[in-house]
Amino acid sequence: MKITLSIIKADVGSIGGHLKPSAQLLQEVKRYLEEKGKGIALDFFVAHTGDDCAILFSHTRGVGNDKVHKLAWDAFVAGTNVAKKEGLYGAGQDLLKDSFSGNVRGMGPAVAEMEFEERPNEPFVMFCADKTDPGAYNLPIYLAFADPMYNSGLILSPNMAKGFKFTIMDVSYTEGDRIIELNAPEELYDIAALLRDNERFVIESIHSRETGEIAVSVSTTRLHNIAGKYTGKDDPVMLVRVQGPFPATGEALAPFNIGHYVAGFMRGSHTGPLMPVKINSSVSYFDGPPVVSALGFCVHEGKLTEPADAFDHPYWDYIRQQVSRKATEIRQQGFSGAAMLPYSELEYGGIVKKMEKLEPKFKVRK
Ligand code: F6R
Ligand code: MG
Ligand code: MG
């Protein structure tokens, strides 16, 4: 059976600032999907990571389907109405357009989708990150799919011997989708040369070179390219199929133990370590640190199991301690140098305005 998995996520309002959506908001999104989702999706699941509400759908309509996207959009509109009633902060924040026009891409919500022939048992992981952008997945996913130091299956399993094809998007190009396809392991250095620049080159998808099947799909939205002004960080979602011809679940999770420094954190304008968190976690310290959740599922004939919360384990408590230390350390240098993002990546216009004011005051000494 051919099925499609779609994660569609949006920040449509949260409690106490940008911390987490309210229980009533989440309840309303679920209620809407239960009522209106019949005949469109085979199954769905809703959770939040930080202030973002993510919907996972299984269906048979293929990627970019207008009915599925509209259902998600309308569920977020219903959630926004509750957010407005409750006076939540940033109600409807990520719904950037007034009315739905066929596909939520470019309208604010983030989307990661894939269509494939369902295996007899089909395990996959849904990743949701908050207070960061899609390039945050570059390093962990590169390591999980191309580095035998993290993915032992690349040397131990015959199913991954040919490696993987990376499709990488130049997200600074706004006229269309500018992509490049590169093969690991032959073109590893070219892949690394692009992926070092998390703000410009983002892994969009990965395919198995053994079977041709899709393994990874990442949301590549850049909100500041859509809205032209601050509307929140892009807070990316990602689907990763696991086991067999793909990395084992544990291999896909392993590189998240680095807690690598990513763009985002407070006002989407700082550098902070990516902390692996449990389901339905909020953010806190300095509106962060940037967080990522990982929920494992199996899907069978389109029916989803309950999630296995992959970062809910004593091992990850230890990692969270270490990442907290990294967050504290970089925060000790405040606005200076590497702690704050470069000019081009600041999500607020305050510095641009200040520079405009200061510009005429500069003098070139004779
Ligand atoms: C980052 C984020 C928050 C806000 C910050 C200020 O993605 O959402 O860090 O940028 O709380 O929010 P506003 O400008 O809404 O007062
Ligand atoms: Mg927000
Ligand atoms: Mg968010």
Coordinates of all heavy atoms in Angstrom, one line a residue, residues 9 11 49 51-52 130-131 233 235, ligand 3:
K9 N 3.2 21.9 10.7 CA 3.3 22.5 12.0 C 3.2 24.1 11.9 O 3.7 24.7 10.9 CB 4.5 22.1 12.8 CG 5.8 22.7 12.5 CD 6.1 23.9 13.3 CE 6.9 24.9 12.4 NZ 7.0 26.2 13.0
D11 N 3.0 27.8 14.7 CA 2.8 28.4 15.9 C 1.6 29.3 15.8 O 1.6 30.3 15.0 CB 4.1 29.3 16.2 CG 3.9 30.2 17.5 OD1 2.9 30.2 18.1 OD2 4.9 30.8 17.8
T49 N 6.0 21.2 20.4 CA 7.4 21.3 20.8 C 7.6 22.8 21.0 O 7.5 23.5 20.0 CB 8.3 20.7 19.7 OG1 7.9 19.3 19.5 CG2 9.8 20.7 20.2
D51 N 6.6 26.4 21.4 CA 5.3 27.0 21.1 C 4.7 26.6 19.8 O 3.7 27.1 19.3 CB 5.5 28.6 21.0 CG 6.5 29.0 20.0 OD1 7.0 28.2 19.2 OD2 6.9 30.2 20.0
D52 N 5.2 25.5 19.2 CA 4.7 25.0 17.9 C 3.9 23.8 18.0 O 4.2 22.9 18.7 CB 5.9 24.7 16.9 CG 6.8 25.9 16.7 OD1 6.2 26.9 16.3 OD2 8.0 25.8 16.9
D130 N 12.1 23.6 17.9 CA 11.6 25.0 18.1 C 12.8 25.9 18.4 O 13.8 25.5 19.0 CB 10.6 25.0 19.3 CG 9.9 26.4 19.4 OD1 9.7 27.0 18.4 OD2 9.6 26.7 20.5
K131 N 12.6 27.2 18.1 CA 13.6 28.3 18.3 C 14.9 28.0 17.5 O 16.0 28.2 18.0 CB 14.0 28.4 19.8 CG 12.8 28.6 20.7 CD 12.0 29.9 20.4 CE 10.9 30.0 21.4 NZ 9.6 30.5 20.8
K233 N 11.2 32.3 14.2 CA 12.1 31.4 13.5 C 11.4 30.3 12.8 O 10.2 30.1 13.1 CB 13.2 30.9 14.6 CG 14.6 30.7 14.0 CD 15.3 31.9 13.6 CE 16.6 31.7 13.0 NZ 17.2 32.8 12.3
D235 N 11.6 27.0 12.8 CA 11.2 25.9 13.7 C 10.8 24.6 12.9 O 9.7 24.3 12.7 CB 10.0 26.3 14.6 CG 10.3 27.5 15.4 OD1 11.5 27.8 15.6 OD2 9.4 28.2 15.9
Ligands
MG3 MG 8.2 28.3 17.6

